[in-house]
Amino acid sequence: MSIQVRNIHKQFGSFTALDDISLDFPTGELVALLGPSGCGKTTLLRIIAGLEQADSGQVLLEGEDASGTHVRERQVGFVFQHYALFRHMTVFDNVAFGMRMKPRSQRPSEKQIRDKVHELLNLVQLDWLADRFPSQLSGGQRQRIALARALAVEPRVLLLDEPFGALDAKVRKELRRWLRKLHDELHITSIFVTHDQEEALEVADRVVLMDHGHVEQIGTPEEVYRHPATPFVYGFLGSVNFFHGRVEGETVRVGEDVLPHEPHDLDHGAEVVAFARPHELEIVTDPAATEGLAAKISRVLSFGVTARVELDGVNGSTGRHFEVELTRERAETLQLSEGQLVRLVPSRLRVFDKKGTAA
Amino acid sequence: MAGATTMNPGSAGSRGLTRFEAKAATRESPLVKWTILGVSLSFFAIFLLMPLIAVFVEALRKGWETYLTALTDPDALSAVKLTLLAAVIAVPLNLVFGVSAAWAIAKFEFRGKHFLITLIDLPFSVSPVIAGLIYVLVFGAQGWLGPWLAEHDLKVIFAVPGIVLATVFVTFPFVARELIPLMEAQGREEEEAAVVLGAHGFQVFWHVTLPNIKWGLLYGVILTNARAMGEFGAVSVVSGHIRGHTNTLPLHVEILYNEYQFAAAFAVASLLALLALVTLVIKSWVEHRAAQAYKVTEDAS
């Protein structure tokens, strides 16, 4: 089922949680709502589910306005961050709950319920836990049970609120892969909320980036990572170096140094923020070089596949820290040492003017 | 007062204390230890244990026969009946009220919520005598509704309805006060999950909310019952002390005492003391069960 939200606005007192949000979630896609805490992503998810009421705007389910539809008639599956399993019921009863709550005329027989529960528990690979209570399960198991419970009522949409947020890193990674696989089998329209960029990029078909109640960018994981549309997205996805400076012809002046910059249409003298990923910075050791930003190496970390160099700014960018990523071989040829003065030259520089518009 | 009536299942941390005491490095000197123990134990013996023993000793001083006669006296039996009647009406009423108030306060946001919480606490902060007086002023012969009641031949004050009303009033906060912190701590996620899964309001309450609060609820009911049966002040004002008609057990004890029938007074008092002991046993058992349920919840979160 497709989901559309139209001009959703939500206010909590003087705090604007969602400011005129319009989004389309096509049928069968797995979409991530990504953003820092307090950006409104969970509120949006709860509004779609009907657990929260928007101040204005519409939620369309399959093209129909759902504003007047009660939560229990929306046929959504909702997975909570802290599982919200019924603590006094066994795993079996938890999963069977939705079916048992149906009006008598639509309620399946006890045998049908039993078969369905076992089918779902097999799907989440936890059939052997049917008689346990939630308190006897690990976090990852609980979340999988919560998912089975949500699927039991055959929802048309699956909404997941920070589903892996309360789990430790290793389990989180496992469940991520597992969720993707499950989605490929079921093809149910799903939206999941997360503040973890890695999770969003790895699992989702599409990523919606949100900040302060606004949508910053929508796109496939590759699009949003490779072509961030705003400074916020640049800073939020992956590590990044940024420079405050002013446009001077074909260059950006940062303090006393200049950074080369591809052709652009920014006005001469415009105040800008320039971004470069750690692997997009080149280290120049030649003391005679004049181009690039002067910096002093503070640490060289070369234990991984790539080497990471941490630098402190000098000449006007004092107090700023930069990070460069390069191959181990390259680091060895350069013979970098701590305390050495070098220059940083970006191979690719993305420039935004101060208001955040792309150049 | 509210603090004294709230169950504290988290107090199961005694294991840590034992370990603290067992280690020589963290142990207090024997002098300090025995002084503290001595002071608290003698306080306990003088102020709690002695009166309790005194009640039973005095009650049985003139032998079993006098004891049984005092209890089977028609006036005493009628007092027992009235006390039970007041409790039987007050407890279910406050059960229903307490659960609905706690449900509303803990699970929903609305205007005037704090005012409602304050209002629920009112019977705790108002002297029981004042509480009784309020009913006399409202329902008494000279009160607001007095003439109307007299016209329709309805008696509230100096009759059974007044006693029930006063009892309901003083026991008002127990169930709600017990449940509000418990329900607030549990949050509303489970209820939300149930609604999303298609459950109706009553189904949510019956299948999700109620099982989660049952031990706290039982605890509140026990406290309500104990207070309903033991209430003296408010009931004393509205009762009129008509023997065999509007006397509850505590009032009956007072009358007997004032008439110098000490053995009989203590005999009836021993009934109330027994009731208190039974209540304490049930209360400890409920606390124990609730602590276990609490532990399970702790593990779950």
Side-chain angles (χ1 to χ4, degrees):
Chain A
M1 181 176 69
S2 67
I3 307 167
Q4 285 148 315
V5 295
R6 294 264 170 276
N7 311 99
I8 293 279
H9 189 92
K10 177 77 183 174
Q11 194 94 24
F12 291 111
S14 62
F15 174 74
T16 308
L18 295 170
D19 188 10
D20 198 27
I21 299 274
S22 296
L23 286 169
D24 277 340
F25 302 93
T27 310
E29 262 194 12
L30 177 54
V31 179
L33 291 180
L34 175 64
S37 45
C39 75
K41 54 195 192 304
T42 294
T43 309
L44 181 60
L45 195 76
R46 291 173 61 86
I47 287 174
I48 294 172
L51 291 171
E52 208 92 53
Q53 187 84 40
D55 297 335
S56 64
Q58 285 178 305
V59 176
L60 306 176
L61 301 176
E62 200 98 75
E64 267 175 56
D65 187 359
S67 308
T69 318
H70 194 277
V71 187
R72 58 175 165 264
E73 275 121 38
R74 290 196 186 190
Q75 288 180 273
V76 297
F78 201 99
V79 175
F80 295 81
Q81 179 178 6
H82 297 291
Y83 332 117
L85 291 174
F86 306 127
R87 61 194 105 185
H88 60 282
M89 291 183 203
T90 61
V91 163
F92 182 95
D93 291 333
N94 262 284
V95 179
F97 185 86
M99 288 181 273
R100 287 182 176 156
M101 290 304 116
K102 285 190 177 168
R104 202 172 291 269
S105 56
Q106 300 163 31
R107 197 185 308 159
S109 72
E110 233 0 80
K111 186 181 177 311
Q112 283 169 310
I113 291 179
R114 204 164 48 238
D115 293 346
K116 178 85 185 173
V117 170
H118 284 298
E119 181 196 320
L120 283 163
L121 287 176
N122 278 321
L123 181 74
V124 299
Q125 298 152 8
L126 290 176
D127 197 31
W128 52 289
L129 291 176
D131 297 326
R132 303 275 184 91
F133 283 91
S135 57
Q136 298 166 306
L137 310 183
S138 72
Q141 289 170 338
R142 280 179 217 176
Q143 197 55 295
R144 281 194 275 169
I145 297 300
L147 196 62
R149 182 180 68 177
L151 291 172
V153 287
E154 295 178 352
R156 299 185 293 168
V157 214
L158 195 57
L159 306 173
L160 307 104
D161 181 14
E162 301 258 8
F164 313 133
L167 303 171
D168 61 60
K170 192 163 166 275
V171 181
R172 200 150 71 205
K173 216 158 175 157
E174 239 173 69
L175 279 190
R176 244 187 246 166
R177 218 171 301 139
W178 175 81
L179 175 68
R180 182 65 234 186
K181 224 182 91 214
L182 192 77
H183 182 263
D184 291 340
E185 280 169 32
L186 301 173
H187 280 297
I188 176 169
T189 313
S190 310
I191 305 175
F192 82 102
V193 157
T194 179
H195 63 265
D196 181 343
Q197 38 133 338
E198 211 182 303
E199 191 170 293
L201 297 178
E202 210 174 284
V203 177
D205 294 315
R206 275 190 327 139
V207 178
V208 176
L209 272 127
M210 292 180 64
D211 187 37
H212 288 108
H214 293 276
V215 172
E216 294 274 334
Q217 191 176 0
I218 307 169
T220 64
E222 205 193 331
E223 274 165 20
V224 294
Y225 187 80
R226 293 193 55 87
H227 307 289
T230 67
F232 166 79
V233 179
Y234 228 118
F236 195 76
L237 293 179
S239 45
V240 74
N241 298 291
F242 63 96
F243 315 93
H244 292 280
R246 196 177 313 117
V247 173
E248 269 182 16
E250 291 291 274
T251 61
V252 176
R253 173 167 288 277
V254 181
E256 293 162 31
D257 301 319
V258 286
L259 300 175
H261 180 39
E262 303 137 40
H264 56 78
D265 51 7
L266 283 166
D267 292 339
H268 186 79
E271 294 274 335
V272 293
V273 194
F275 291 89
R277 300 257 185 230
H279 66 268
E280 293 168 344
L281 282 178
E282 192 64 34
I283 295 181
V284 177
T285 46
D286 180 6
T290 54
E291 208 181 40
L293 191 80
K296 196 169 84 180
I297 296 176
S298 66
R299 249 150 83 77
V300 181
L301 306 162
S302 54
F303 48 77
V305 186
T306 57
R308 251 174 51 220
V309 184
E310 290 173 7
L311 307 102
D312 295 324
V314 289
N315 293 356
S317 51
T318 321
R320 297 285 319 284
H321 302 284
F322 304 108
E323 196 184 313
V324 177
E325 207 178 288
L326 63 179
T327 62
R328 261 242 295 274
E329 294 75 38
R330 178 83 183 127
E332 271 159 27
T333 8
L334 283 172
Q335 290 196 311
L336 303 171
S337 61
E338 287 172 17
Q340 192 180 355
L341 275 174
V342 295
R343 283 187 180 273
L344 298 174
V345 181
S347 58
R348 184 164 171 266
L349 195 63
R350 186 101 162 102
V351 177
F352 297 93
D353 73 15
K354 270 276 153 67
K355 291 191 289 292
T357 346
Chain B
M1 174 111 194
T5 63
T6 306
M7 181 169 54
N8 184 9
S11 60
S14 52
R15 209 184 321 138
L17 293 177
T18 326
R19 217 182 303 137
F20 198 75
E21 171 60 23
K23 269 186 269 173
T26 51
R27 200 182 304 152
E28 286 296 337
S29 74
L31 181 71
V32 174
K33 182 169 142 188
W34 290 112
T35 312
I36 294 175
L37 274 178
V39 167
S40 44
L41 281 179
S42 22
F43 187 90
F44 168 79
I46 295 169
F47 289 99
L48 294 173
L49 203 59
M50 228 165 62
L52 189 65
I53 295 170
V55 167
F56 288 99
V57 168
E58 286 297 321
L60 295 171
R61 184 181 288 268
K62 293 195 177 157
W64 278 103
E65 231 159 272
T66 332
Y67 183 78
L68 286 178
T69 321
L71 292 189
T72 48
D73 180 75
D75 288 350
L77 284 179
S78 129
V80 170
K81 265 189 225 154
L82 183 57
T83 303
L84 288 178
L85 178 72
V88 160
I89 298 175
V91 171
L93 271 182
N94 280 330
L95 174 77
V96 172
F97 160 75
V99 171
S100 17
W103 163 273
I105 286 169
K107 309 277 175 179
F108 300 94
E109 289 300 324
F110 54 90
R111 209 183 284 261
K113 187 162 149 173
H114 287 279
F115 179 68
L116 182 60
I117 296 175
T118 316
L119 213 59
I120 289 172
D121 276 343
L122 191 68
F124 273 158
S125 49
V126 165
S127 156
V129 177
I130 310 284
L133 217 56
I134 294 168
Y135 286 108
V136 174
L137 288 176
V138 175
F139 298 109
Q142 319 297 325
W144 294 351
L145 301 177
W148 185 86
L149 287 171
E151 245 173 62
H152 293 79
D153 203 21
L154 293 169
K155 271 183 80 80
V156 175
I157 299 304
F158 305 143
V160 176
I163 289 170
V164 172
L165 274 178
T167 309
V168 169
F169 181 83
V170 293
T171 54
F172 208 62
F174 285 96
V175 173
R177 265 284 148 202
E178 192 54 51
L179 291 183
I180 291 168
L182 182 65
M183 287 169 106
E184 273 175 348
Q186 286 176 347
R188 26 186 169 186
E189 267 203 347
E190 283 187 46
E191 276 86 1
E192 282 178 348
V195 173
V196 174
L197 288 168
H200 287 260
F202 182 73
Q203 287 176 314
V204 174
F205 177 75
W206 188 253
H207 293 287
V208 176
T209 310
L210 197 57
N212 279 340
I213 59 166
K214 62 179 176 209
W215 293 113
L217 186 61
L218 190 54
Y219 189 83
V221 165
I222 291 167
L223 290 177
T224 308
N225 188 53
R227 183 69 196 269
M229 292 191 173
E231 175 54 26
F232 178 82
V235 170
S236 171
V237 175
V238 295
S239 128
H241 304 269
I242 307 163
R243 275 194 184 205
H245 287 284
T246 63
N247 255 358
T248 61
L249 275 178
L251 299 181
H252 191 60
V253 172
E254 194 212 14
I255 288 180
L256 291 172
Y257 190 82
N258 286 344
E259 289 173 350
Y260 303 105
Q261 303 185 34
F262 296 130
F266 276 110
V268 178
S270 74
L271 258 191
L272 284 169
L274 269 178
L275 174 78
L277 288 177
V278 170
T279 306
L280 279 177
V281 170
I282 302 176
K283 187 180 114 176
S284 313
W285 178 71
V286 170
E287 265 177 350
H288 173 70
R289 292 301 306 262
Q292 280 181 336
Y294 182 81
K295 233 166 55 198
V296 170
T297 319
E298 279 291 277
D299 295 344
S301 56

